[in-house]
Amino acid sequence: MLAAGGGVIVDVDGNSLIDLGSGIAVVSVGNAAESVVSRVQEQVAAFTHTCFMVTPYDGYVDVCEALAELTPGDHAKKSALFNSGAEAVENAVKIARVATGRDAVVVFDHAYHGRTNLTMAMTAKNMPYKNGFGPFAGEVYRAPMSYPFRDGLSGVEAAARAIDVIEKQVGAANLACVVIEPIQGEGGFVVPAPGFLPALAVWCAANGVVYVADEIQSGFCRTGDWFASDDEGVVPDLVTTAKGIAGGVPLAGVTGRAELMDAVHVGGLGGTYGGNPVACAAALGAIEEMRTHDLPARAREIGAIMASRLTSLQEEYAVIGDLRGRGAMMAIELCVPRTTDPDPVRAAAVSAYCHQHGVVTLTCGTWGNVFRFLPPLSISDELLHEAFDVVGEAFAATR
Ligand code: PLZ
């Protein structure tokens, strides 16, 4: 790759590709957003590193203040910053365990939480994420996810099914936290039925279980709200963030109820680079872009365009079994027509056609049959339409 910006990637041969992946939901504000570039340049010229635990600096505190303001809920919050999404998830589990004095962690079918040892245990899919890399961390239990296209259950029914598994197989008294992606990412952009997340959060609160929203892929304006949890007004006890937070510079965070965060002993959380000054400057720049350009609203507009283009494709091609997602996080699930039998071969063919014809797209899902769309929120309507013209041609040209 040679250059990138505004939804276009230029490769080493000078070919332009339209970006419908944003580096997996990272460059939501664009690949070289003005406020990110200028703040990073200024910071890098001032100082690159001190280690926040040794010599604190304003940028870290400013990011924590922004996180407190933007994440769901108006309770007292604190944040700790890290380098990657997986590291944030690991730390959320550490915090929940210390705060509750309990060990068990519940995650869901199709979940993706990272590639470190604990987060591999939390991730559902074996190949390629876990195969041969065990043994995995213990005390991680999996509950059934709400997956309306496949289970046909209402949110309340699916929550009752999950809670029954948790109570029978784990026991609330042993459970430190429930960790869930409000819209699943790698697992297939599965959007739980309305009511599922609120019912789960209510059960957690009633049982002293920490409800952790993994908003690493769904957060920071992607779904048309600042966070996907906002859609149903769910207020998580802890929220993990990464990806979109810093416009492409590695940064991650755990933000949560002050009393949970304060349960950890002094020195219990940390790391040499967590909340690096340059990464914090990038985050402040990205957040400025999101606020100035009202990117939650732009994500909803992008979502409306994608939904209309994908609805027409679904009417034409019976292989598109399901269309789901919210805002600029949308996907189609490809299945043998009129069944829920996955068709990963067609998904791979459509994806390859798109790449060959200048559109960067991503697949995902437990069966590899989900075609996902994550354009940068800086993309123009014209480019977006051009990209979906190619996606349409890809369906016509493959079988
Ligand atoms: N939680 C919800 O989406 C990262 C993974 C790409 P890191 N998803 C992209 C790959 O194949 O490795 C992700 C996520 C959710 C956690 C993570 C992990 O974030 O920054 O990749 O560690």
Side-chain angles (χ1 to χ4, degrees), residues 134-224:
F136 303 112
E139 287 305 312
V140 176
Y141 300 89
R142 198 165 304 283
M145 178 65 181
S146 166
Y147 195 153
F149 175 59
R150 292 184 175 275
D151 64 24
L153 299 178
S154 72
V156 170
E157 289 162 348
R161 177 179 65 172
I163 289 165
D164 189 54
V165 167
I166 297 170
E167 287 179 340
K168 298 296 178 300
Q169 299 183 20
V170 187
N174 301 307
L175 185 55
C177 57
V178 164
V179 184
I180 188 159
E181 300 153 88
I183 295 182
Q184 289 184 319
E186 307 307 302
F189 280 27
V190 178
V191 185
F196 179 75
L197 298 174
L200 215 55
V202 165
W203 180 85
C204 285
N207 289 277
V209 173
V210 177
Y211 177 94
V212 184
D214 180 344
E215 293 259 14
I216 287 166
Q217 190 153 162
S218 58
F220 279 104
C221 310
R222 183 48 57 191
T223 62

Side-chain angles (χ1 to χ4, degrees), residues 24 84-86 112-115 129 181 186 214 216-217 243:
I24 322 191
S84 69
Y112 183 92
H113 298 292
R115 294 177 184 261
Y129 306 124
E181 300 153 88
E186 307 307 302
D214 180 344
I216 287 166
Q217 190 153 162
K243 291 188 183 279

Side-chain angles (χ1 to χ4, degrees), residues 9 42 49 114 118 153 174 234 243 375 396 399:
I9 294 172
E42 208 173 294
H49 176 80
L118 173 59
L153 299 178
N174 301 307
V234 173
K243 291 188 183 279
R399 54 184 67 247

